[in-house]
Amino acid sequence: MNTTTQVSDSALVSLYIAGNENAFEQLVNRHKNKVYTTILLIVKDTYTAEDLMQDAFIKAIHTMKSGRYNEEGKFSSWICRIAHNLAIDFFRKEKRSPMITLEDGSNVFNTMAFAEDSAEQLQVKEDTHARLRELIQTLPQSQREVLMMRHYADMSFQEIADATGVSINTALGRMRYALINLRKKMLNSNIAYDKNLYSE
Amino acid sequence: MIKTSTQNELIQYVYDELAKNASEQLETAFMHDEELAESCSELLQIQNLLDNALKSPHKRAVQNILNYSKSLSLQS
């Protein structure tokens, strides 16, 4: 039995600050997908997203190693906020808008592995997930922002409300519309939408 | 027609942010309000899809991060 999965992020951070590199490896492996996806949904380029993901974790390393890490709040929210800010800064420096025209993501995104599925099922899933990531980009910015902060950056609705300067009811409303809009867009795109297909 | 306040509670419920008492009231309401139960089901389905749409970075990028951290430890 692997008991290390029970260790909290907070404990792993403390262990890492004390010099335990294995604790950091667990933190990275636990959060790399959310950090990477948060960035990828903004920059839409795998190489740039990987570079910025590395920058985000390096920034986190320096903050933790220098004793400036704030124990308040969740590590996941913190690291995803760093990632989100780096991705936005990237666009400011490049003087580009994150709301660029979408393309078919099939050549851009990596193949996801589901060993238990047939090749055909794998393709259906990957197509669906790639299309979903595209559809997230088409949401109004305020809705997309809340969706990414809550679903991928793991921030609470109150934290999102504080960060974006709106009431919690507004944040909740934006999230509700984001999810409803995504569902409508999925249905309108004739994308397979079977809960049994996607359950793990 | 589901009230806006209830719709907001549904969002908090599927993200596990609704207080215990309110969650229990909502779960009771599901038993006799088909529209509300269906709305919750739809939210959970799209939430599940979003979970599975996460992407993984290449191992090389992850290894770079770990190597950087180790190199800092060796310097100090």
Side-chain angles (χ1 to χ4, degrees):
Chain A
M1 192 173 78
N2 184 4
T3 55
T4 55
T5 54
Q6 302 302 316
V7 178
S8 69
D9 284 354
S10 177
L12 289 174
V13 169
S14 298
L15 284 168
Y16 176 56
I17 290 170
N20 187 325
E21 290 295 320
N22 289 335
F24 181 64
E25 187 169 349
Q26 283 192 56
L27 273 176
V28 172
N29 284 327
R30 199 176 278 184
H31 299 290
K32 64 183 181 185
N33 292 354
K34 282 195 171 184
V35 171
Y36 178 64
T37 305
T38 296
I39 297 169
L40 188 60
L41 285 171
I42 297 170
V43 303
K44 296 203 295 172
D45 176 83
T46 54
Y47 295 107
T48 305
E50 286 186 350
D51 283 349
L52 292 175
M53 180 194 73
Q54 291 175 62
D55 290 347
F57 276 107
I58 284 169
K59 206 166 180 176
I61 287 169
H62 283 288
T63 302
M64 290 189 285
K65 291 268 189 190
S66 64
R68 289 181 287 119
Y69 178 70
N70 184 353
E71 289 287 339
E72 293 173 20
K74 289 175 287 187
F75 177 83
S76 58
S77 302
W78 177 63
I79 188 69
C80 284
R81 283 291 293 281
I82 293 174
H84 184 264
N85 289 341
L86 284 173
I88 297 296
D89 285 349
F90 169 81
F91 270 104
R92 286 191 184 130
K93 283 175 191 164
E94 296 286 312
K95 295 185 180 175
R96 292 164 61 194
S97 164
M99 296 293 287
I100 58 178
T101 307
L102 297 171
E103 296 174 3
D104 179 357
S106 57
N107 295 326
V108 173
F109 294 110
N110 305 331
T111 302
M112 298 178 82
F114 293 88
E116 72 280 18
D117 294 325
S118 70
E120 189 182 359
Q121 284 173 317
L122 275 173
Q123 192 57 50
V124 170
K125 282 185 174 180
E126 177 48 26
D127 289 349
T128 303
H129 297 149
R131 183 68 185 136
L132 180 60
R133 287 188 292 271
E134 289 181 354
L135 292 177
I136 291 171
Q137 311 283 356
T138 67
L139 291 173
Q141 204 247 336
S142 60
Q143 292 175 25
R144 194 185 56 200
E145 183 178 54
V146 173
L147 183 136
M148 288 171 62
M149 285 179 166
R150 183 63 193 88
H151 202 91
Y152 294 119
D154 219 14
M155 293 168 69
S156 71
F157 287 111
Q158 187 58 61
E159 287 172 331
I160 294 167
D162 293 342
T164 55
V166 299
S167 69
I168 187 169
N169 281 335
T170 299
L172 285 165
R174 286 175 177 174
M175 186 67 178
R176 180 160 53 86
Y177 281 115
L179 296 177
I180 290 169
N181 281 340
L182 268 184
R183 184 171 180 276
K184 279 182 189 168
K185 286 169 188 279
M186 296 284 284
L187 292 172
N188 289 341
S189 303
N190 291 321
I191 293 174
Y193 192 73
D194 180 348
K195 66 179 176 184
N196 296 318
L197 185 61
Y198 303 106
S199 58
E200 290 180 310
Chain B
M1 184 73 180
I2 303 171
K3 287 192 299 185
T4 302
S5 58
T6 309
Q7 288 172 334
N8 283 351
E9 283 188 347
L10 264 185
I11 295 290
Q12 289 176 296
Y13 178 75
V14 298
Y15 278 96
D16 204 20
E17 287 193 27
L18 195 60
K20 192 181 174 189
N21 283 350
S23 292
E24 287 170 355
Q25 284 176 21
L26 204 55
E27 284 162 0
T28 303
F30 290 153
M31 306 297 282
H32 52 80
D33 188 334
E34 201 173 316
E35 188 187 2
L36 189 66
E38 181 61 24
S39 289
C40 186
S41 172
E42 288 170 3
L43 289 174
L44 289 170
Q45 284 176 39
I46 193 75
Q47 193 184 41
N48 191 32
L49 268 179
L50 286 167
D51 280 343
N52 290 327
L54 280 174
K55 294 295 298 176
S56 301
H58 284 114
K59 287 180 182 173
R60 180 194 62 247
V62 175
Q63 197 56 50
N64 287 345
I65 295 164
L66 301 178
N67 290 344
Y68 181 83
S69 177
K70 282 175 188 164
S71 72
L72 275 188
S73 294
L74 290 173
Q75 286 171 21
S76 59

